Amino acid sequence: MKVAFLDNITGHGDKDWTIPWILTWFSLGITALFIGFWQTTEHAPLDWFYFGVSVIGLLCVVGLSFRKNLVGNGLGLLATAGEVIVQGTSGAVGLMLAPIFNFCSHLYGMVKWQEHTDEDGSMMPKSASKYVWGITLVFIVIGLALFPSLNDWLIRQGYGMIENDGSQFLGIISFFWINVIAFVLSITAQVTMILRYSFNWWLWILVNFVWLIVNIMSGNIIFAIQTMIYQVNAMVGLYGWQRSEND
């Protein structure tokens, strides 16, 4: 189904609203980030560095949604490298694993996306067969089954990623498992994005919803707002990638 407004902001319509849309989305995102940064940190040099990394992250995700290799994967390399430095210098060695993985995936994407671009320099997404959907589902199930044991082993080695403090969401769902689900889904979404499958945005939409719960539970309202801004970008990315795939 074609939507005129979404066509215009993704470059598929009669009017080109791409730049105004990106500027509006980025302005809202940077505002949420800055408020969160100013109210929840001591404004130390490392805090400023992390804020800068977060700004680069905003540019990265909007570049990915609009299929721009250098902006998306190029800035993704900078953002993930910055996250590795932030986590390492803050002593959260376990949390360095995810950005290291994402750094390698963006590096792979830089090469592969360049080989599949249209005349405008935008990456050409591909559709996924039922076989690919099945492999992805199996990957998620295996990840959910193995991650708790892997996490326990990492904790014993001093590289734990997710602590199980016994808290629950609405008194029903373990906060630990919500984090596990968010981690496994985000890794899967990252892989399918780099492999150019347009359905990756369905996974990111689900990931953002789970992270919204995490942010609400932890009282991080500012980043809950930021998650919703990311959610809007994911929906635009889904529409734009699928329209390009169909074209």
Side-chain angles (χ1 to χ4, degrees):
M1 181 179 67
K2 296 182 180 180
V3 180
F5 173 74
L6 292 176
D7 278 341
N8 290 334
I9 66 176
T10 56
H12 296 284
D14 298 328
K15 301 176 181 179
D16 188 1
W17 294 349
T18 302
I19 298 301
W21 165 258
I22 292 176
L23 291 176
T24 300
W25 179 88
F26 181 76
S27 297
L28 292 174
I30 201 71
T31 299
L33 278 176
F34 184 77
I35 293 174
F37 159 77
W38 198 258
Q39 291 188 350
T40 61
T41 73
E42 298 178 355
H43 314 149
L46 188 61
D47 296 326
W48 279 105
F49 180 77
Y50 190 72
F51 174 72
V53 169
S54 299
V55 173
I56 296 174
L58 280 179
L59 294 172
C60 164
V61 297
V62 75
L64 291 170
S65 69
F66 282 87
R67 301 176 291 116
K68 300 303 181 183
N69 191 19
L70 291 179
V71 177
N73 286 308
L75 291 181
L77 289 173
L78 288 178
T80 51
E83 289 173 14
V84 170
I85 295 173
V86 169
Q87 301 296 352
T89 53
S90 63
V93 182
L95 296 180
M96 293 171 59
L97 298 179
I100 288 174
F101 171 85
N102 290 333
F103 178 90
C104 295
S105 68
H106 283 302
L107 188 61
Y108 177 85
M110 282 281 289
V111 177
K112 287 300 180 180
W113 282 28
Q114 188 63 34
E115 299 174 358
H116 303 278
T117 56
D118 57 23
E119 61 276 7
D120 296 326
S122 299
M123 179 275 294
M124 295 182 294
K126 58 183 179 181
S127 58
S129 63
K130 293 181 180 179
Y131 175 77
V132 174
W133 273 97
I135 291 295
T136 303
L137 180 60
V138 169
F139 184 89
I140 293 173
V141 171
I142 292 176
L144 292 175
L146 295 182
F147 187 84
S149 297
L150 175 61
N151 188 64
D152 290 340
W153 181 82
L154 288 171
I155 290 176
R156 290 195 297 271
Q157 305 304 314
Y159 299 97
M161 298 182 64
I162 302 174
E163 296 290 342
N164 189 354
D165 61 0
S167 58
Q168 293 183 327
F169 178 63
L170 299 178
I172 302 174
I173 306 175
S174 167
F175 188 54
F176 170 78
W177 272 105
I178 292 176
N179 276 274
V180 170
I181 292 170
F183 180 82
V184 172
L185 288 178
S186 62
I187 292 297
T188 309
Q190 179 73 12
V191 170
T192 53
M193 171 186 286
I194 296 304
L195 294 178
R196 301 187 295 113
Y197 291 114
S198 60
F199 80 90
N200 83 87
W201 291 107
W202 285 112
L203 296 176
W204 281 120
I205 289 171
L206 182 58
V207 169
N208 288 329
F209 176 74
V210 177
W211 277 118
L212 177 62
I213 296 176
V214 172
N215 287 323
I216 291 176
M217 285 190 68
S218 60
N220 197 337
I221 303 302
I222 298 301
F223 279 91
I225 296 173
Q226 182 198 12
T227 301
M228 296 309 299
I229 294 174
Y230 278 151
Q231 189 74 297
V232 173
N233 181 68
M235 293 178 180
V236 172
L238 172 65
Y239 184 87
W241 278 44
Q242 289 189 337
R243 283 284 278 118
S244 298
E245 174 191 320
N246 292 333
D247 291 343

